[in-house]
Amino acid sequence: MAGTVAHFAVRTPTPTLSIDSVNFSEASAGAAEASFAVTLAPVSDRPVSVDFRTADATANDGSDYLGRSGTLTFAAGESHKTIAIPVVAETAPENDEFFSVLLGTPVHAVIGAGVGVGTIENDDGPVVLVGTRRKSLLGSSLAGAPVSTTHVVA
């Protein structure tokens, strides 16, 4: 038909937000922080936002890290942001500890990988546990006597 104009809507994929997990050594002194990368793919031609918050696992807010919450906003065309979580310096040997950064309530995007795990790696030497427990030594003159055991967890 002459004079007919066809209009086609071009559908772009909905952008997806994802957060990475990180491993880092705890600081013995001074300031340290865990940096979680948040990516948006594909980039959007309009602003995108997402809320975030930390959550305890084996690491505790206040004694192992300083919890945070807030909103990240990606300007049109941006694809990367960072969430910095301060880590509390300490010198006590302990096992590796974990906490999470959770993404939620996206605007103009969907969430792909919405949980980033922060692993605080022990850098203060091995954990040594010493304890006493009763162990059955059947047929031995030590049957029922306390036995001291040492466990080294590296």
Side-chain angles (χ1 to χ4, degrees):
M1 278 192 203
T4 301
V5 176
H7 293 279
F8 295 98
V10 176
R11 209 164 202 209
T12 58
T14 302
T16 300
L17 292 155
S18 297
I19 186 168
D20 288 340
S21 293
V22 296
N23 294 355
F24 52 93
S25 293
E26 65 185 352
S28 295
E33 61 183 26
S35 295
F36 291 82
V38 180
T39 56
L40 177 68
V43 295
S44 179
D45 58 356
R46 59 185 175 171
V48 169
S49 65
V50 65
D51 294 338
F52 70 89
R53 68 179 177 84
T54 54
D56 287 357
T58 57
N60 296 302
D61 181 6
S63 61
D64 297 308
Y65 72 98
L66 301 179
R68 296 286 185 260
S69 63
T71 301
L72 288 180
T73 300
F74 292 78
E78 281 189 309
S79 62
H80 292 83
K81 293 282 185 183
T82 300
I83 300 171
I85 306 297
V87 178
V88 177
E90 61 183 319
T91 57
E94 57 189 350
N95 293 321
D96 293 351
E97 297 175 301
F98 310 91
F99 67 94
S100 297
V101 177
L102 311 171
L103 300 181
T105 320
V107 175
H108 301 241
V110 296
I111 295 176
V115 179
V117 176
T119 302
I120 305 171
E121 297 174 336
N122 174 44
D123 65 352
D124 301 311
V127 176
V128 177
L129 305 172
V130 177
T132 301
R133 66 179 195 166
R134 295 204 178 266
K135 183 175 181 180
S136 174
L137 300 171
L138 296 176
S140 165
S141 62
L142 298 175
V147 176
S148 180
T149 59
T150 301
H151 304 277
V152 176
V153 181

